[in-house]
């Protein structure tokens, strides 16, 4: 389903608590006074400067350790975990929450609130399967605890801290679990948990409104805002299950709480979800002019306060319904508005949302506008949105992490961009928290800063389009891309939809389009059959499945392809896993690689990416068979491979065994070499792709696991990086088509071309293919050399599994 809820719901419910008007303002769930760094961290955390806040909490935690105040340590770990989650750094958030659990057991006798934080880190990363048992465990921890609704005497500060902690854990757990159930379409389960939260809220409100107890137990505005979100989610679940009238009653209830809290943003969330239920219930036709005007008015009011993630969801919902009713002009208007909002801010995913769910639903918008433009015959616009979808998916993969700029980008400009982004984050947070009477001036400042950042990004694009792609959606037009090609080159770009696959062949003189009837499921099944046949060396099935694939995706362009010497492929969906070079072309005995060199590009715009480091000098750096001592298999042939390949270079550095360290590879000494060759194990992490790694030797500085994110921050400038490693090129393929792999990371770090593997390639045959590749490299360049090596193994009647697993990503031909 397409969740319309934003993270603000979860954030507010995280903060939902009661506080004593008689207690100090810093009284939180842990009974501890704030030391100076912890006090200083409050302001940057509230303004959206999470990195600065985390640094201060680290300082605060050290002081708490020195003064032997474990409650302070627990407070800092909890706060830092929340802030890391806000930045989209889910693995860091989990690590901090896990460190906090032993302290929570020691100090509190329960771990409910820490378990919720840990569960949130999984849930917001899209791993609902791991999140759910943690939420249920948190509920079980406090199953016997009852909120006291009567008191013989005013509670102490310590007792109030415990009440705050346990109330927060109880309500927060049920609310975020319900939010997850809502996202998964498990509405009845969500309603059950929301009813439990409602009962506790009513008890708290009863105490807060008591003539005596209310003197020491007064909820802040955030409590009422949390109530607003609880009943708004409840209304949405009721609406999704056709209990529309009851849903409107709950929406009204939530709206009243938001007004009581003075929460402008909460009111907008309430209105957005109410609009969705109106459309779902068929209460009004999408073709009704009044309904369209109401929706446009909502979008305008919401955009003013910077809530772009609300705008895109509402606009997409309206556009999708209009498209179903063949109101194509109106549908395109809303879909364009949705995408403008998606791309309006780089920090969309810094709002603590379920990244995978969010990314998927963002890609749903792109998919619909790609298909709608194609349906209307506007294939150029369709291609443009395809490029933008891939660029957006890459940003979603990075999830707000900052990447080091290439040396080609002016440092002052990079600093300006960072300062502008921080200013936008602060203004956006201010807008979301502002009351209607205070929002106008802040909104003007926000829009002014948006324009300033746009101008800065345009200047960044002029210096490095590749670096700009890590900051915002940055693409080239179809005409610009075509003009970049030579006469004997072409780009074959794909869009795989549910019902069909769209294809564009770009040449220097223009483009041609085609479509085949294979949708995502059918195409994926055929590619899986073909790969299994290659792995098992089943000749008959290889020919049958290969012929079916070629007929679908190559034959529509057979005439144009016949005159090429180099084909760039921009895959989509499961096509990322297809070894194109092995496909039959013209006749069953001829493979595509026999006719032309084949390269892969992450998107067509990447044809414009250039290496961002120093100008390469001469020589090669080779690593093979690192010694790790942790049970990783020894790669005997890999060590022989790098020694043999080194003979092809006048200047070569070879490191094996304990000397093949991560620290050495990350050193700046590599900035001047032409070729980097790594014959090592690769570890592919489908759940957390930025944690996919090359397994190198460890030392005192590094653990030996060179992860994708660490590679993004390296500075190298080789013509070629060869990852002679198992599964080095693999990555999860979602709707965004961004194969999140080590090869893309090396390209960003500065490599013009990367050779990687589709599957676990046999050690001995890999060594053989690599030696052939390097013999051909001086004369033919990377793409041509790989083609020469693969053709030679074909002539030797070698099985495709021995040579077809390697592919080349990038555009270097020298």
């Amino acid at each position: 389903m397409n969740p319309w809820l934003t993270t603000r719901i979860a954030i507010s419910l995280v903060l939902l608590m009661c506080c004593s008007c008689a207690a100090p303002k810093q009284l939180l769930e842990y009974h501890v006074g704030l030391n100076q760094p912890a006090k200083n961290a409050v302001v940057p955390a509230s303004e959206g400067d999470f990195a600065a806040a985390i640094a201060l909490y680290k300082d605060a935690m050290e002081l708490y350790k020195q003064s032997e105040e474990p409650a302070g340590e627990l407070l800092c770990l909890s706060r830092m975990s929340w802030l890391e989650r806000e930045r989209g750094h889910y693995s860091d958030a989990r690590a901090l929450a896990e460190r906090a659990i032993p302290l929570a057991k020691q100090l509190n006798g329960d771990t409910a609130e820490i378990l919720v934080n840990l569960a949130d880190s999984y849930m917001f990363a899209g791993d609902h399967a791991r999140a759910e048992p943690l939420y249920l465990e948190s509920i079980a921890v406090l199953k016997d605890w009852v909120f006291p609704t009567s008191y013989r005497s005013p509670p102490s500060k310590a007792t109030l801290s415990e009440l705050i902690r346990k109330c927060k854990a109880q309500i927060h757990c049920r609310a975020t679990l319900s939010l997850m159930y809502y996202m998964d379409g498990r509405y009845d389960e969500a309603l059950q948990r929301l009813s439990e939260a409602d009962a506790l809220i009513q008890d708290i409100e009863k105490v807060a409104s008591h003539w005596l107890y209310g003197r020491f137990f007064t909820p802040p505005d955030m409590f009422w805002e949390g109530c607003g979100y609880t009943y708004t989610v409840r209304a949405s679940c009721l609406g999704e299950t056709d209990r529309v009238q009851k849903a409107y009653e709950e929406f009204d209830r939530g709206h009243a709480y938001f007004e009581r809290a003075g929460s402008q943003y909460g009111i907008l969330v309430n209105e957005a979800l109410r609009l969705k239920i109106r459309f779902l219930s068929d209460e009004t036709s999408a073709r009704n002019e009044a309904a369209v005007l109401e929706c446009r008015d909502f979008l305008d009011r919401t955009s003013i306060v910077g809530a772009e993630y609300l705008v895109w969801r509402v606009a997409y919902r309206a556009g999708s319904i209009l498209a179903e009713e063949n109101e194509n002009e109106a549908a395109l208007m809303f879909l364009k508005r949705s995408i403008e909002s998606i791309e309006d801010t780089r920090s969309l995913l810094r709002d603590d949302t379920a990244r995978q769910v969010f990314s998927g639903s963002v890609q749903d918008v792109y998919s619909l506008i790609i298909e709608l433009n194609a349906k209307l015959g506007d294939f150029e616009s369709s291609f443009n949105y395809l490029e933008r979808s891939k660029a957006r998916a890459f940003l979603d993969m990075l999830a707000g992490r900052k990447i080091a700029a290439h040396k080609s980008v002016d440092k002052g400009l990079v600093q300006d961009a960072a300062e502008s982004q921080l200013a936008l984050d602060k203004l956006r947070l201010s807008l979301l928290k502002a009351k209607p009477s205070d929002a106008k001036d802040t909104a003007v400042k926000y829009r002014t800063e948006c324009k300033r950042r746009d101008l800065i990004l345009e200047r960044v694009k002029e210096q490095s389009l590749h670096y700009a792609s890590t900051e915002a959606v940055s693409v080239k037009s179809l005409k610009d891309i075509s003009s970049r090609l030579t006469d004997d080159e072409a780009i074959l770009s794909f869009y795989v939809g549910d019902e069909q696959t769209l294809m564009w062949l770009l040449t220097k003189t223009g483009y041609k389009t085609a479509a085949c009837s294979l949708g995502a499921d059918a195409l994926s099944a055929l590619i899986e059959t073909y790969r299994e046949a290659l792995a098992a060396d089943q000749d008959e099935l290889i020919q049958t499945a290969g012929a079916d694939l070629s007929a679908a995706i190559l034959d529509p362009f057979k005439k144009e392809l016949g005159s090429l010497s180099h084909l760039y492929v921009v895959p989509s969906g499961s096509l990322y896993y297809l070894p194109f070079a092995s496909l039959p072309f013209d006749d069953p005995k001829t493979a595509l690689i026999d006719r032309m060199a084949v390269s892969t590009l992450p998107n067509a715009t990447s044809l414009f990416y250039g290496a961002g480091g120093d100008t390469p000098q001469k020589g090669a750096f080779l690593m093979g068979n690192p010694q790790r001592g942790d049970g990783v298999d020894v790669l005997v042939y890999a060590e022989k491979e790098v020694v043999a390949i080194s003979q092809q270079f006048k200047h070569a550095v070879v490191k094996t065994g304990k000397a093949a360290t991560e620290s050495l590879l990350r050193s700046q000494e590599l900035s001047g070499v032409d070729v980097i060759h790594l014959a090592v194990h690769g570890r592919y992490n489908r759940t957390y792709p930025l944690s996919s790694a090359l397994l190198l030797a460890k030392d005192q500085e590094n653990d030996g696991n060179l992860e994708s994110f660490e590679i993004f921050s390296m500075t190298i400038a080789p013509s070629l990086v060869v990852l002679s490693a198992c599964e080095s090129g693999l990555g999860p393929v979602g709707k965004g088509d961004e194969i999140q792999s080590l090869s893309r990371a090396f390209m960003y770090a500065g490599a013009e071309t990367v050779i990687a593997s589709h599957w676990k390639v046999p050690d001995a045959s890999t060594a053989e293919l690599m030696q052939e590749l390097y013999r051909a490299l001086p004369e033919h360049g990377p793409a041509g050399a790989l083609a020469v090596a693969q053709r030679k193994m074909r002539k030797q009647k070698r099985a495709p599994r021995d040579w077809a697993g390697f592919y080349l990503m990038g555009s270097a031909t020298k």
Side-chain angles (χ1 to χ4, degrees):
M1 65 164 295
N2 217 359
W4 276 31
L5 290 175
T6 68
T7 281
R8 179 69 172 168
I9 299 173
I11 294 172
S12 296
L13 290 169
V14 167
L15 297 174
L16 180 59
M17 63 180 69
C18 306
C19 71
S20 167
C21 62
K25 289 184 179 179
Q26 70 267 28
L27 180 64
L28 296 169
E29 61 266 38
Y30 309 114
H31 182 47
V32 61
L34 298 183
N35 61 25
Q36 195 57 51
K39 289 179 181 177
N40 294 343
V42 172
V43 173
S46 67
E47 291 181 345
D49 190 352
F50 300 140
I54 288 169
L56 287 165
Y57 278 123
K58 286 180 179 178
D59 293 340
M61 189 164 65
E62 287 303 313
L63 290 178
Y64 282 128
K65 284 181 180 179
Q66 293 172 16
S67 60
E68 297 184 352
E69 294 183 83
E73 293 180 53
L74 182 57
L75 172 70
C76 292
L77 286 169
S78 178
R79 292 281 187 85
M80 287 191 293
S81 178
W82 184 82
L83 291 167
E84 290 289 13
R85 195 177 68 239
E86 274 289 273
R87 297 203 295 173
H89 298 182
Y90 302 113
S91 58
D92 295 335
R94 283 192 298 276
L96 288 163
E98 287 167 352
R99 283 175 60 188
I101 287 177
L103 273 176
K105 288 181 178 179
Q106 171 191 336
L107 296 173
N108 303 325
D110 72 66
T111 58
E113 71 282 5
I114 305 299
L115 286 168
V116 175
N117 289 341
L118 184 57
D120 285 350
S121 297
Y122 281 113
M123 194 272 275
F124 293 132
D127 193 344
H128 294 191
R130 292 191 184 184
E132 184 173 11
L134 290 167
Y135 285 128
L136 297 177
E137 184 180 352
S138 178
I139 290 173
V141 165
L142 294 177
K143 64 182 175 62
D144 297 324
W145 180 77
V146 178
F147 176 75
T149 55
S150 62
Y151 302 82
R152 293 185 177 181
S153 60
S156 66
K157 292 179 182 179
T159 301
L160 279 173
S161 292
E162 181 184 8
L163 289 177
I164 290 166
R165 174 169 54 84
K166 291 186 174 180
C167 286
K168 170 176 168 280
Q170 288 271 45
I171 297 173
H172 172 198
C173 183
R174 286 166 171 80
T176 49
L177 178 59
S178 299
L179 178 60
M180 189 181 80
Y181 286 157
Y182 174 86
M183 290 178 176
D184 293 340
R186 299 163 64 179
Y187 305 119
D188 289 336
E189 292 171 88
L191 287 168
Q192 176 188 342
R193 296 302 178 184
L194 287 166
S195 294
E196 295 167 2
D198 172 57
L200 181 54
I201 289 171
Q202 296 307 311
D203 283 344
I204 294 171
E205 191 167 5
K206 179 181 177 181
V207 170
S209 62
H210 190 275
W211 69 273
L212 177 60
Y213 304 153
R215 294 173 182 246
F216 58 82
F217 204 78
T218 305
D221 286 344
M222 186 60 74
F223 172 79
W224 308 121
E225 186 179 27
C227 294
Y229 284 116
T230 298
Y231 298 118
T232 298
V233 178
R234 194 176 185 180
S236 299
C237 292
L238 289 166
E240 296 282 357
T241 52
D242 296 326
R243 289 169 273 188
V244 177
Q245 191 54 47
K246 181 63 176 175
Y248 288 152
E249 293 174 8
E250 293 295 288
F251 276 127
D252 290 342
R253 193 176 178 187
H255 192 280
Y257 276 116
F258 285 132
E259 287 189 328
R260 185 173 181 178
S263 174
Q264 173 182 230
Y265 184 76
I267 291 172
L268 289 173
V269 172
N270 185 282
E271 289 184 29
L273 291 168
R274 186 190 292 258
L275 271 172
K276 181 189 179 188
I277 297 306
R278 282 190 61 190
F279 283 126
L280 282 177
S281 65
D282 292 326
E283 182 180 316
T284 180
S285 169
R287 288 172 289 187
N288 184 296
E289 185 176 352
V292 171
L293 290 174
E294 179 185 356
C295 190
R296 291 181 65 176
D297 174 68
F298 172 82
L299 296 177
D300 291 340
R301 288 187 290 111
T302 306
S303 186
I304 287 173
V305 298
E308 299 299 338
Y309 36 78
L310 267 185
V311 172
W312 78 255
R313 291 177 189 274
V314 175
Y316 168 58
R317 181 62 192 171
S320 61
I321 291 176
L322 287 162
E324 289 175 2
E325 298 184 354
N326 291 317
E327 295 288 334
N328 296 323
E329 185 177 344
L332 282 174
M333 175 191 70
F334 279 113
L335 293 173
K336 288 177 181 177
R337 180 71 179 270
S338 180
I339 287 176
E340 287 170 3
S341 297
I342 287 169
E343 298 176 359
D344 184 66
T345 172
R346 172 65 183 88
S347 60
L348 270 172
L349 288 178
R350 291 179 189 172
D351 302 295
D352 192 9
T353 191
R355 183 169 63 86
Q356 288 183 350
V357 175
F358 184 54
S359 297
S361 54
V362 163
Q363 289 302 322
D364 285 342
V365 189
Y366 285 106
S367 294
L368 183 53
I369 201 167
I370 289 167
E371 293 176 359
L372 185 55
N373 275 298
K375 177 183 176 181
L376 297 174
D378 188 354
F379 288 97
E380 188 166 341
S381 292
S382 188
F383 177 84
N384 179 260
Y385 281 112
L386 175 61
E387 284 289 289
R388 289 163 71 174
S389 76
K390 293 175 183 296
R392 179 69 237 184
F394 179 54
L395 289 175
D396 292 349
M397 180 191 77
L398 296 178
R401 287 186 181 270
K402 297 299 294 181
I403 301 298
H406 288 154
K407 290 184 178 181
S408 59
V409 184
D410 180 74
K411 290 183 179 179
L413 198 57
V414 173
Q415 183 63 31
D416 288 345
E419 290 175 356
S420 180
Q421 184 59 62
L422 180 58
L424 278 175
D425 288 345
K426 290 181 177 181
L427 287 167
R428 243 171 108 246
L429 198 58
S430 296
L431 278 170
L432 297 182
K433 296 192 299 183
K435 295 183 179 180
S437 58
D438 303 326
K440 187 174 180 180
D441 290 342
T442 306
V444 172
K445 292 178 183 177
Y446 176 77
R447 288 297 160 196
T448 301
E449 191 61 41
C450 283
K451 292 178 181 178
R452 175 173 174 261
R453 177 160 173 77
D454 288 343
L455 291 174
I456 293 171
L457 288 176
E458 286 303 314
R459 293 174 60 196
V460 171
K461 289 177 186 178
E462 293 172 2
Q463 297 184 11
S464 172
L465 186 63
H466 207 174
Y467 176 65
S469 72
T470 72
E471 293 291 309
V473 170
S474 305
V475 300
K476 290 286 188 177
S477 70
L478 188 152
K479 291 180 180 177
D480 286 341
I481 295 168
S482 290
S483 67
R484 188 82 169 184
L485 296 166
T486 62
D487 291 334
D488 60 348
E489 293 178 331
I491 294 176
L492 182 55
S493 185
F494 295 90
Y495 164 78
V496 179
D498 292 337
E499 304 297 331
Q500 64 174 345
T501 295
L502 303 176
M503 299 170 281
W504 290 258
L505 184 73
L506 279 63
T507 62
K508 190 172 183 62
T509 57
Y511 71 97
K512 178 181 177 180
T513 62
C516 75
S517 58
L518 292 176
D521 291 342
L523 186 61
S524 179
L526 186 55
I527 290 173
E528 185 176 354
T529 298
Y530 184 61
R531 283 171 59 100
E532 289 175 350
L534 291 174
D537 198 19
Q538 296 177 318
D539 287 339
E540 186 175 344
L541 187 55
I542 289 173
Q543 291 180 12
T544 302
D548 289 343
L549 284 164
S550 289
I553 63 178
L554 296 181
D555 284 2
F557 308 105
K558 182 176 287 188
K559 180 180 178 181
E560 292 79 8
L561 292 175
S563 61
L564 299 180
S565 65
H566 194 162
L567 176 65
Y568 296 105
V569 176
V570 182
S572 172
S574 57
L575 286 169
Y576 273 106
Y577 294 94
L578 177 63
F580 278 85
S582 67
L583 291 178
F585 187 68
D586 278 346
D587 63 73
K589 294 183 179 181
T590 304
L592 188 63
I593 195 64
D594 295 330
R595 294 296 186 90
M596 66 196 73
V598 181
S599 301
T600 299
L601 293 175
N603 61 354
T605 297
S606 62
L607 200 65
F608 289 78
Y609 295 166
D614 298 327
T615 302
Q617 303 302 314
K618 295 295 181 182
F621 179 87
L622 305 96
M623 276 187 174
N625 191 26
Q627 184 176 329
R628 290 175 58 88
D630 56 0
V632 175
D633 293 340
V634 175
L635 297 171
V636 177
Y637 283 97
E639 191 160 340
K640 295 178 180 178
E641 174 185 325
V642 295
V643 172
I645 291 170
S646 69
Q647 305 304 310
Q648 303 291 328
F649 297 89
K650 291 182 179 180
H651 305 286
V653 176
V654 178
K655 297 293 180 181
T656 61
K658 291 183 178 179
T661 64
E662 175 188 357
S663 300
L664 183 59
L665 186 57
R666 295 175 66 178
S667 71
Q668 292 301 309
E669 297 173 16
L670 301 182
S671 59
V673 301
D674 282 319
V675 173
I676 297 174
H677 184 97
L678 305 173
V680 302
H681 280 293
R683 183 187 65 200
Y684 160 50
N685 192 322
R686 177 177 292 275
T687 306
Y688 308 110
L690 287 178
S691 296
S692 294
L694 296 175
L695 306 185
L696 307 174
K698 57 186 175 182
D699 57 18
Q700 293 181 346
E701 295 180 34
N702 291 288
D703 62 5
N705 300 327
L706 181 61
E707 297 182 341
S708 291
F709 178 69
E710 294 172 321
I711 297 168
F712 271 107
S713 296
M714 290 171 60
T715 301
I716 56 176
S719 298
L720 175 65
V721 170
V722 178
L723 305 179
S724 182
C726 294
E727 299 183 329
S728 56
L730 283 180
V733 178
K735 289 186 178 180
D737 295 334
E738 177 50 54
I739 187 160
Q740 300 158 359
S741 62
L742 295 159
S743 48
R744 179 68 188 264
F746 272 108
M747 281 188 66
Y748 178 78
E752 292 184 63
T753 303
V754 179
I755 293 177
S757 61
H758 276 300
W759 54 66
K760 292 183 178 180
V761 184
D763 197 12
S765 60
T766 295
E768 184 179 344
L769 182 136
M770 288 299 164
Q771 291 178 56
E772 293 293 343
L773 183 151
Y774 281 101
R775 291 190 188 102
L777 187 60
E779 180 181 354
H780 297 279
L786 179 60
V788 168
Q790 291 177 325
R791 288 166 190 163
K792 185 167 184 177
M793 295 190 81
R794 277 179 50 74
K795 288 179 180 178
Q796 296 172 350
K797 307 298 182 182
R798 302 294 290 276
R801 66 168 177 263
D802 291 334
W803 58 266
F806 283 98
Y807 71 96
L808 183 146
M809 179 179 282
S811 58
T813 55
K814 296 181 181 179

